[in-house]
Every structure is written in structure tokens, then in C-alpha cells.
Amino acid sequence: MERYEFDPKVRESYESLSIPIAIYQTGPEGRKLLLVSDGLCQLLGQSRSQLMQGTIASDLSCLPALLERKRELKAAKSGLIMVEYADLTRQQERLFLTDQAYLTSQEDDYFLDRLTGLPNTNYFQSIAQKYLNELQESGQTPIVVFFDIYGMHAYNDHFGYAKGDQLLRTTARIIRAAFPNSLLVRFVEDHFVMVTADHNLLPKLKRVAKDVMDSTHGWSDGVHAGIYYCQEKIANPMTAVDNARKALKYMAGNRQQLCCVYDQKVKDKYDSRDYVLTHFNEALRKGWIQAYFQPEMRAITGKLCGAEALARWVDPEKGVLSPGLFIPVLEEANLIHRLDLCIIEQTCQIIRGMKDENEPMIPISVNLSRIDFQVCDIFKEVDRLRRKYDLSPKLLKIEVTESTLTTAPEALMRAMREFQRAGYDVWMDDFGSGYSSLNNLQSYNFDLIKIDMIFLRNFASNPSVSTIVAAIIDMAKRLGIQTLCEGVETMEQADFLREVGCERLQGFLFAQPLPFEEFIEYFSDHADGYLEPVEENEYYREAGQINVLSDPTLGSNPKGEDILPIVEIEEEADGRLNLIYINNNGEELLASCLNMDGQELQARLLDEQSNWQRAAKRLIAVCRRSREPHSRDFIINAQPFNLRMMKVAGDGQRTLFVGVITDLSKYDAEPGI
């Protein structure tokens, strides 16, 4: 009988298996041993050369402690059989192959992952049930571990797939060395599955992660693992694997967390996910998805200038579901565009209803997900709804999250141009929550940035917060971009934001998101003249370009100079003047020389007989004719001042001027009158 010769790579793959196997060639003279696996060498405690020369070379059936299962290797290898051995004296190594799996197999690598030399998913599915049962019957708790090589795709991209394959082989070897008496298979791609009864798990997992990371010289964070303890009988081993995988995904890419155990929190999350996916169509059809509205307040006037439409799932059984529960699920399933368009249509219906009832309309901002730009022509879909209800595009503000800029940059750029050409404003949501906020401002032409609420969380305790927020607002003004700050919860925060020139405020200080009827009722009950007429939006857009952190009449603030005393004065059509803004420095300057508090100062400044009013009116008469700055000196309590002013905005009903006050006594100048 001519001896069969294996391809060297095939031989290496079989010999490196942790499964205790031997491959024989059969013929008229009996069977001849061709190779043995590492697993068999370990099981019998002998080297490969010892086994190839000893009893096993003919037959092992004389050893009663071993159970033998045979499988013929087909496909051009007639006469070859693979024999699986199991030691009946060691419970954790009783690995059984089902006869049915052998019979249905047509290839010699049906159970083998030839890249790593480990068993594959077919092997796991064929023996895992019996292995789990044997461990539980012996009083042990099986543990299913789902491994993932963190950063594998980036590693492949940087080093190439050959190096990636080497990392897979190295990882397989490291895990197998740490858990020699466990069932380990390469499951799919860069994932491995292990069944073990080794409860010294965490220290070994730490060592595995470190060894894998060291093998890549720090290019990978090693392996991360999801863990499932089989406390009860498992009807299907793949259920245990799925639970371990859910535990892994629950970590959501947390690079600092090595592993996660499947527990009630993980179960609840995935139960909720399944509920969302199976009931989403019903929720849309039956109106469980509803638009709630959160106000956007004009900082300078305190009036309601807009609202944001937010999706809420009002479930008849589970109550109001958190957006943090269903939005990520719908994004992952590429269904989020249906939710967004549902909210946009409800918003259009509401604005149309206000228009039909001759009620003042409120501009409303609507959110678009990064997925929207990938799965549909989102501009056409939004504009179709807007046209369906015959609304001005100025009544819908388009919000996109900062993450969209990195996941769909070309689609976003194209859609932004279409939206803005059609007359929509496009806002960047969550500014500052990502790593590329500043870079994005030079690449995309946003009309407004919404400063993320994370900046206000430590406002009271961290002085740097106010510095950062003021710098963002200053930068936005210089770029001609409007600003809105989210997460405003205290009057201290609101006063600060107004002081530094933030145009719009949003947060629980004003109201939480409410159904539209409650939203309107709440504001009509809590404030007189609460609503800013929509036709004034453009006026306040221009007014919002005033940068109170610099000299707005010069366009800059000399380096190192303190924030200047700034006022904003509005002239009504009948000539009456309103002081609508004065910053802290301006108020302190005038109040100190008049020896009065803030309220008394406001009354004095509104006194039409005061020097201040006379100087302001004369100056306004000059400034009204152009947008160039002009100045005039005046005296308060024998103290000389200069007021430099310029026109900022006007809509026919009133005109807005901004001014900078200078204390001339500091410069020993002769006062004017």
C-alpha cells in the first residue's frame, strides 16, 4: 500500500489541533498511522515521535480508558480515516462527535479551521451540547466565552491581511495555552468561542489580553470577552453563545473594559431591542411615535423663538420609552429615516394647523440621523413633506449631529447645499461632543451650532467651563454662525450665556419636552407676550451677530484688553428708545458713577431727559443713515464718557444699535457735552 502524503500546510493544520485525533490510512494490510494532533499528544502525555513509533501506530482499541469515534475522510482521499479519542476518566475532556455530523460531512476540513488549526463552528455545533451536559452532570458550571480581537479591522488595514492572519493564529495559540482543558473554536472572522469550567477566569483573561496586545506591539488592545454562565440546562448551545456575544456588545466598544458578564441588565437591554424591532411598524401605524417639543428661548428678550421636535414612543403597555432605547436600535437596523420622517410630518401638520387657525407660527427644528443620508435622498423626502403642507422652509430648521460629518461626509455636504439653496437653515447639533468640531466648521457651512450640554454640567464647580463656552461663542460670531446652548438648568447659567452673547437657550430651566398642546398651554400660562413673531427671526438673526466679547463697532478686541462695556439700544418707529442689553462691565461702570443699583440704573437710562438719552438720540440720528460706527461724548454726574455706536439691524418697525461706553476720565481727556 502506497503511503498517502499530506500537503505540508494541511499536515500542519491537523497536527496543531487541540482535539485528540489521529489520521490513519487503511488497506488490506490493516491501518497505518499518518499523523497525530497536539491534542492527542497532550492527552496521552507522549511526544509526537513516541506516538508515531509506539502502540498507536497500529491500534489504540486496547486502551479501555479511551473512547474512539471514526470518520472516513472523503473527497479524493479514499482509504483515510480520522479517529477522535476521548479520555473517559476526565470529565472536562469528554468531547463527543455526533455520528450524524460525520455522515453529512463531505470534506476533510468540515470540522477544521485551517487558518488557526482550531476546530470550527461546525465542530462546536456537533459536540457542544453533549459537552455542556457532561460538565453540568459532573456538578460543574460551564462558562461560555465569546472573544473579539479589538481593532482587528484597523490592524488589517494598516498591516495587511497576511499580518492579520498571523494575529489570528497567535491569538488562537495564546487562548489555547491559557485554557488547555477547554473547548476552543474559531467561530467567525476575528471571534473565538470557548466553553470552559475553569473559574479562575478573570486573571487568565487579563493575561490573554496582555499577551495578544504585546504580540501586536500595542497596535491592538488585545481581546475583549463576553461571558455567559450556564447556571441552568441549555436547550441549544447557540443560545449560550448568543448571550455571551450580547454581553460583549453591551460594552459598546469600551476600550478600558476587558469583559462583561451576561446579567439582567444585558438581558433587559436586548429584550427592549427585540421589542423595538418587532413593534416599530405597529408603533408608526397606531400613532405611538409622537413629536414632543422643547422650547428655544431668545436670550436677549426672554421670548420663545422656536422649538425642537423630539421623538417619543408612547407605548400602551410600556409607557414612554426613552429615545436612548429605541433610536440606537433603529439606527443600527437602518430604520431611523422612517422615524425621522414621521416626526417631520407631524411637525409640518402642527405648523400648518397654526397657520390655518391664524395663530402665530413657531419655527421648529427637526433632527436627522447620519443613517438618513445613507439610506435615502433625505433632502427630497423632507422637502416633499414641506411642500405637501405648503410651508415656508424658514419654518423648518434642519439639525444634524456631529457624528454625521464623519460617517457620511459626502452625502451630508451634498444635502446641506440642497437644503440651504432651498431656504432651510442647517444646524450642527451636539457641537463639542466629538473630536473634530473645530475642523468641521471650516469644511461645512452651518447656520447655527448647538453647544452640547456637556459644557454646562460642571459650570458651578469648574471655572474653565465659562472660558471655553465664551471662546466658542466668540469664534462662532467671528465666523458668522449663530449659537444655541443646550442643557440650561439654572438662572446662573442663563445669565452667563446672555452676558457672553449666546443667542438662544434650551434646557429644563424653561421646560422639558412636552406634547404640543401642553407645550403651548405651558408658555401661554407662564408669560405675557411669550412668543417672538416669526417675522422677527431675521431681525434677531442680524442682532445675534453682535459680538459682545469684543468691540463690535471695531470688529475686534485688542489682545489682553478686558471685555468692554457694551450696550444694545433699540429705537422704535415712534422714536422711543429701549435699552435691551447692557453687559456686566457696562452696568458696573455706569452704576458706580451714578451710585445706584441695577434697577435704578435701568430707570435712569430710560429717562428721556437724561444726558445719556440726549447723547444716544443724537448719535442714533447719525448712525441710522449708515452702518459705519460714530461716537459722541456725554457727562453723567460730572464724569465724562464716550459712546461709540453703529447700526446692526432693522425691519421697518424698529432699528437695533450696539454701542461701546468708554470712561474718558481714565485718559484725562476733556469731556464733551
Side-chain angles (χ1 to χ4, degrees):
M1 179 174 58
E2 183 179 352
R3 182 183 179 89
Y4 179 84
E5 294 297 335
F6 285 95
D7 177 88
K9 290 186 177 180
V10 174
R11 172 179 286 277
E12 181 184 358
S13 295
Y14 277 118
E15 288 183 339
S16 64
L17 281 171
S18 59
I19 313 165
I21 66 164
I23 296 181
Y24 296 91
Q25 183 177 3
T26 62
E29 299 87 4
R31 63 185 186 180
K32 181 187 299 183
L33 181 64
L34 299 182
L35 63 80
V36 296
S37 68
D38 290 345
L40 187 57
C41 295
Q42 184 179 7
L43 178 64
L44 298 177
Q46 297 186 47
S47 67
R48 179 168 284 104
S49 59
Q50 288 174 320
L51 292 177
M52 294 296 289
Q53 296 170 5
T55 305
I56 193 173
S58 57
D59 201 347
L60 274 176
S61 59
C62 59
L63 301 179
L66 295 181
L67 176 69
E68 177 179 290
R69 296 277 177 150
K70 300 177 183 178
R71 174 194 168 210
E72 181 180 355
L73 299 182
K74 300 181 179 180
K77 294 183 177 62
S78 179
L80 299 185
I81 62 169
M82 180 171 69
V83 181
E84 168 86 12
Y85 295 95
D87 184 351
L88 299 182
T89 65
R90 300 171 66 182
Q91 292 288 345
Q92 67 269 31
E93 291 182 359
R94 295 184 64 178
L95 310 180
F96 295 96
L97 296 174
T98 64
D99 292 329
Q100 183 179 5
Y102 280 126
L103 293 173
T104 57
S105 170
Q106 297 297 319
E107 299 293 338
D108 65 345
D109 57 355
Y110 183 76
F111 293 110
L112 174 69
D113 173 54
R114 299 179 72 170
L115 176 65
T116 63
L118 291 177
N120 61 20
T121 306
N122 294 329
Y123 183 84
F124 180 85
Q125 290 177 326
S126 70
I127 73 163
Q129 186 67 67
K130 289 188 177 181
Y131 188 42
L132 289 169
N133 291 345
E134 290 295 326
L135 289 173
Q136 289 177 325
E137 288 168 6
S138 67
Q140 301 180 78
T141 300
I143 309 169
V144 177
V145 184
F146 193 94
F147 290 98
D148 171 63
I149 302 177
Y150 197 90
M152 186 70 194
H153 294 297
Y155 190 84
N156 280 334
D157 290 344
H158 191 272
F159 292 104
Y161 285 93
K163 281 285 188 181
D165 289 346
Q166 182 178 332
L167 176 57
L168 288 169
R169 287 190 289 269
T170 299
T171 302
R173 186 171 61 252
I174 290 170
I175 299 174
R176 186 168 57 186
F179 299 93
N181 295 326
S182 302
L183 170 61
L184 176 66
V185 302
R186 183 189 177 196
F187 199 70
V188 63
E189 296 181 339
D190 59 334
H191 302 304
F192 299 85
V193 170
M194 180 177 72
V195 181
T196 185
D198 190 339
H199 284 257
N200 190 28
L201 192 61
L202 187 57
K204 291 186 176 182
L205 289 179
K206 288 180 178 178
R207 188 169 74 243
V208 166
K210 182 180 184 304
D211 290 347
V212 172
M213 183 173 63
D214 290 347
S215 74
T216 66
H217 304 288
W219 273 92
S220 167
D221 284 343
V223 296
H224 293 224
I227 300 168
Y228 178 68
Y229 286 85
C230 303
Q231 303 286 0
E232 300 175 353
K233 284 284 187 180
I234 300 295
N236 185 342
M238 297 307 294
T239 301
V241 172
D242 193 45
N243 288 341
R245 181 176 8 209
K246 288 176 179 177
L248 176 70
K249 292 180 70 175
Y250 187 80
M251 293 190 290
N254 184 343
R255 300 170 73 100
Q256 305 303 316
Q257 189 174 352
L258 170 63
C259 59
C260 176
V261 176
Y262 182 89
D263 57 13
Q264 192 61 43
K265 287 183 180 179
V266 178
K267 182 179 184 302
D268 289 345
K269 174 183 176 179
Y270 283 93
D271 285 349
S272 298
R273 179 183 182 277
D274 293 342
Y275 184 86
V276 167
L277 292 177
T278 56
H279 290 79
F280 179 54
N281 287 334
E282 183 181 11
L284 287 176
R285 189 174 64 253
K286 295 184 176 179
W288 301 350
I289 305 294
Q290 298 179 15
Y292 277 40
F293 298 87
Q294 187 170 28
E296 296 161 356
M297 310 301 292
R298 183 76 64 186
I300 201 168
T301 64
K303 290 186 177 182
L304 176 69
C305 60
E308 179 181 8
L310 298 163
R312 294 294 184 266
W313 183 320
V314 184
D315 195 275
E317 294 182 11
K318 298 181 176 293
V320 179
L321 303 186
S322 165
L325 187 154
F326 61 86
I327 287 179
V329 173
L330 296 175
E331 284 188 325
E332 184 180 346
N334 287 344
L335 295 171
I336 192 68
H337 67 290
R338 296 179 59 195
L339 175 87
D340 290 341
L341 292 173
C342 172
I343 296 301
I344 291 171
E345 179 151 22
Q346 289 185 34
T347 299
C348 289
Q349 288 172 342
I350 285 170
I351 299 176
R352 181 71 238 182
M354 299 169 73
K355 185 175 182 179
D356 291 343
E357 296 295 326
N358 292 319
E359 296 177 355
M361 290 179 289
I362 303 173
I364 297 177
S365 62
V366 293
N367 292 278
L368 297 182
S369 164
R370 57 189 175 83
I371 304 298
D372 295 342
F373 295 87
Q374 299 171 332
V375 301
C376 68
D377 188 332
I378 193 62
F379 166 73
K380 286 186 178 179
E381 294 296 328
V382 173
D383 204 51
R384 174 182 61 81
L385 292 173
R386 194 265 306 174
R387 291 176 183 275
K388 176 181 175 181
Y389 293 94
D390 190 25
L391 301 175
S392 165
K394 290 300 180 185
L395 293 170
L396 283 181
K397 313 297 182 182
I398 307 300
E399 293 193 30
V400 295
T401 58
E402 191 176 345
S403 62
T404 308
L405 279 59
T406 56
T407 55
E410 294 180 2
L412 174 62
M413 186 76 77
R414 183 170 57 253
M416 278 185 65
R417 287 195 295 266
E418 291 178 310
F419 275 119
Q420 289 172 326
R421 277 199 298 262
Y424 298 87
D425 283 357
V426 181
W427 297 0
M428 182 200 285
D429 195 10
D430 301 331
F431 179 84
S433 62
Y435 296 105
S436 305
S437 297
L438 297 179
N439 186 54
N440 289 331
L441 289 184
Q442 70 174 353
S443 303
Y444 297 89
N445 183 30
F446 286 101
D447 298 287
L448 178 145
I449 58 174
K450 297 186 73 172
I451 301 169
D452 192 86
M453 64 180 66
I454 59 172
F455 288 108
L456 294 185
R457 285 178 184 164
N458 300 316
F459 178 82
S461 59
N462 188 349
S464 65
V465 169
S466 57
T467 302
I468 293 171
V469 172
I472 292 172
I473 293 169
D474 180 46
M475 174 192 64
K477 301 279 189 183
R478 293 172 189 270
L479 294 173
I481 300 174
Q482 301 172 75
T483 54
L484 181 155
C485 194
E486 301 174 295
V488 181
E489 296 183 351
T490 67
M491 280 305 302
E492 180 187 12
Q493 294 170 347
D495 290 343
F496 162 74
L497 291 166
R498 183 178 184 274
E499 169 74 11
V500 296
C502 185
E503 294 157 70
R504 298 173 181 238
L505 310 178
Q506 184 179 17
F508 284 4
L509 174 64
F510 311 107
Q512 62 184 358
L514 296 167
F516 189 73
E517 294 76 11
E518 295 180 31
F519 173 87
I520 291 297
E521 182 180 353
Y522 177 86
F523 277 93
S524 59
D525 288 348
H526 284 75
D528 293 328
Y530 70 96
L531 181 61
E532 174 183 296
V534 69
E535 56 270 17
E536 294 182 8
N537 278 189
E538 190 60 33
Y539 173 79
Y540 283 111
R541 178 200 288 268
E542 293 186 55
Q545 293 308 301
I546 297 172
N547 190 350
V548 298
L549 299 174
S550 64
D551 184 340
T553 65
L554 298 177
S556 64
N557 188 26
K559 186 176 180 181
E561 186 174 321
D562 292 336
I563 295 175
L564 299 170
I566 293 174
V567 294
E568 294 180 31
I569 301 172
E570 186 178 74
E571 181 189 35
E572 296 189 21
D574 61 3
R576 185 171 48 186
L577 300 185
N578 300 315
L579 179 67
I580 64 171
Y581 173 87
I582 180 167
N583 67 358
N584 288 342
N585 285 0
E587 189 171 282
E588 289 173 5
L589 174 64
L590 296 180
S592 63
C593 78
L594 292 173
N595 193 27
M596 57 181 60
D597 61 25
Q599 286 187 341
E600 292 175 318
L601 175 64
Q602 293 278 346
R604 178 66 178 272
L605 294 178
L606 292 175
D607 180 1
E608 295 186 3
Q609 303 305 314
S610 67
N611 285 349
W612 158 267
Q613 280 266 354
R614 288 198 295 269
K617 284 186 175 182
R618 291 171 184 169
L619 193 52
I620 283 173
V622 177
C623 293
R624 193 186 300 121
R625 294 190 291 270
S626 74
R627 289 185 182 250
E628 295 299 317
H630 298 273
S631 65
R632 189 174 188 87
D633 298 342
F634 63 98
I635 295 175
I636 299 180
N637 281 7
Q639 189 166 338
F641 294 92
N642 176 270
L643 176 63
R644 173 186 287 269
M645 294 184 66
M646 64 180 290
K647 178 182 174 181
V648 175
D651 63 0
Q653 299 301 312
R654 60 265 158 89
T655 309
L656 183 67
F657 301 86
V658 62
V660 177
I661 306 169
T662 302
D663 179 1
L664 294 179
S665 64
K666 295 193 302 183
Y667 303 99
D668 296 325
E670 287 295 323
I673 56 173

